[in-house]
Amino acid sequence: MHWKLGAGTMNERQAKCPFCRQFMTGWRSRYPAKACDQCDRPLFLMPSIFKRDHLAILSALDIAKVLMLPVVTGATISFGLGGLTPSEFAAVVAGALLMWGLIDVWDGTAGLKTGIDRVKKQVQKGGKARKTSVAKTIFGFSSVLLGALGLLLII
């Protein structure tokens, strides 16, 4: 999962996709982002916080979901303390629904395409993964629709 930097090149050290946990071929990209060869999920190559001169492979979908949590939590606290008006709070919630919906649609369509999906920490393959991916895609589209309608009603 970590790659060691040395003399301007990256040497693989059991690089696995953090989403599907399959071994990956070389990064072969000069950009810090690429899609997994197996599950087609977007990945980031970032400096490891645990080891110096190492790079960690992180799932972009998981990072996006985690980054949205403090935004929604902060908006909820701010609304509760009177710092946000109801329409401002509704805009934040609608934007979060839109973002999470887009993430679920991306995740669901990638699962339909590859037949690989993850629920919590379990990787699913085949028919079970496709059923879960259909559900993610449907709920994602519903969330996108609800978030977009919410933003349109506020404007």
Side-chain angles (χ1 to χ4, degrees):
M1 184 153 204
H2 295 283
W3 296 32
K4 184 172 174 67
L5 288 176
T9 62
M10 289 184 285
N11 301 319
E12 284 189 45
R13 251 185 155 178
Q14 292 192 350
K16 283 188 176 183
C17 171
F19 192 90
C20 67
R21 294 180 178 67
Q22 299 288 323
F23 284 106
M24 295 175 51
T25 58
W27 194 261
R28 300 196 204 311
S29 173
R30 60 188 184 126
Y31 302 108
K34 79 170 219 157
C36 173
D37 300 327
Q38 303 295 319
C39 67
D40 204 34
R41 284 358 183 252
L43 304 172
F44 285 133
L45 191 62
M46 302 183 75
S48 174
I49 58 173
F50 301 112
K51 292 184 180 181
R52 212 176 105 154
D53 296 333
H54 278 72
L55 298 172
I57 301 170
L58 303 172
S59 169
L61 297 178
D62 292 341
I63 291 171
K65 285 181 183 180
V66 169
L67 288 177
M68 287 300 296
L69 290 175
V71 171
V72 173
T73 303
T76 304
I77 292 170
S78 183
F79 178 67
L81 295 174
L84 285 179
T85 65
S87 62
E88 291 170 336
F89 180 66
V92 171
V93 171
L97 280 172
L98 189 65
M99 182 71 172
W100 278 322
L102 290 172
I103 292 168
D104 283 342
V105 169
W106 189 337
D107 190 17
T109 54
L112 289 171
K113 178 180 171 186
T114 62
I116 300 172
D117 195 30
R118 186 182 75 195
V119 177
K120 295 187 181 176
K121 292 188 178 189
Q122 289 187 333
V123 177
Q124 300 174 340
K125 294 184 179 183
K128 191 172 184 181
R130 292 192 197 284
K131 287 178 186 176
T132 306
S133 296
V134 166
K136 282 184 181 181
T137 305
I138 291 170
F139 284 113
F141 274 125
S142 300
S143 183
V144 167
L145 181 65
L146 189 61
L149 286 174
L151 287 175
L152 287 174
L153 290 174
I154 292 169
I155 295 176

